Amino acid sequence: RGGGEAAPPERGGRGVSRRMSVSMTLDAVRDMTKTVTRRHVDTWKNLRPGDRLTLIEKGMGLPKGARQVVVAEVEVVNVRVERLAVVTTEEVRREGLVDLAWESIARGEYVTVADWFVDFWCAGHGYRNLTTAEQALVACRRIEWRYLTSEANR
């Protein structure tokens, strides 16, 4: 199944840890500072608070024989659908991307962290050629988690 959809419960859906790639924010996951991710609204529909996720470096496009590398185990604490218009600088920090945003702002490419994030997210999820106003109306699935992996296990 694509997009993190779980198998139906009779085949081990709920209660079984699903894998989620965090390749774009790997350092923030390793540091356990990333606590939020946003995914396409059509994915992760069955995810609920209490579900566990295994965060991996990369899930697709691995060379033959390569294995997925587990980075952390987390428990979902909140899932909701929201518009990108509500993203704040604090939310971008929780996404583990605020440093990239500030770099773009320093180069004069963006004015705000939120503007950078909305453009970055839309480009990475197939929303191209949208106006800023149209981008703000795009819905995404916001997933928040807490880490189960302790520093001692690293």
Side-chain angles (χ1 to χ4, degrees):
R1 292 176 183 263
E5 289 304 303
E10 67 273 12
R11 289 189 281 157
R14 187 115 16 249
V16 174
S17 183
R18 292 184 271 169
R19 292 179 175 238
M20 177 184 280
S21 174
V22 292
S23 59
M24 303 228 20
T25 53
L26 199 48
D27 290 339
V29 171
R30 285 191 175 123
D31 295 342
M32 292 196 247
T33 55
K34 178 180 179 71
T35 57
V36 168
T37 191
R38 283 171 176 77
R39 302 294 163 126
H40 195 282
V41 71
D42 293 336
T43 64
W44 297 93
K45 291 178 182 180
N46 297 324
L47 194 65
R48 302 285 182 266
D51 287 353
R52 291 185 176 204
L53 297 173
T54 299
L55 305 182
I56 57 172
E57 282 186 6
K58 185 176 181 180
M60 298 174 66
L62 294 171
K64 186 174 181 167
R67 299 188 93 93
Q68 294 177 345
V69 176
V70 174
V71 183
E73 300 287 334
V74 298
E75 179 181 347
V76 175
V77 296
N78 187 283
V79 182
R80 66 179 180 247
V81 173
E82 65 182 23
R83 303 260 182 230
L84 289 174
V86 303
V87 172
T88 64
T89 298
E90 175 59 19
E91 282 291 295
V92 178
R93 184 193 62 73
R94 296 182 76 196
E95 285 266 3
L97 293 165
V98 77
D99 290 342
L100 282 176
W102 284 119
E103 289 170 14
S104 291
I105 290 168
R107 289 191 300 268
E109 298 167 354
Y110 292 89
V111 175
T112 71
V113 169
D115 288 344
W116 174 86
F117 180 81
V118 169
D119 201 42
F120 171 85
W121 193 93
C122 284
H125 289 84
Y127 294 95
R128 298 204 179 6
N129 302 320
L130 297 180
T131 66
T132 302
E134 290 169 331
Q135 285 180 334
L137 297 177
V138 171
C140 64
R141 190 167 311 280
R142 181 190 181 274
I143 303 167
E144 182 178 355
W145 61 64
R146 70 177 187 86
Y147 287 89
L148 300 173
T149 310
S150 71
E151 284 298 321
N153 294 333
R154 294 187 172 267

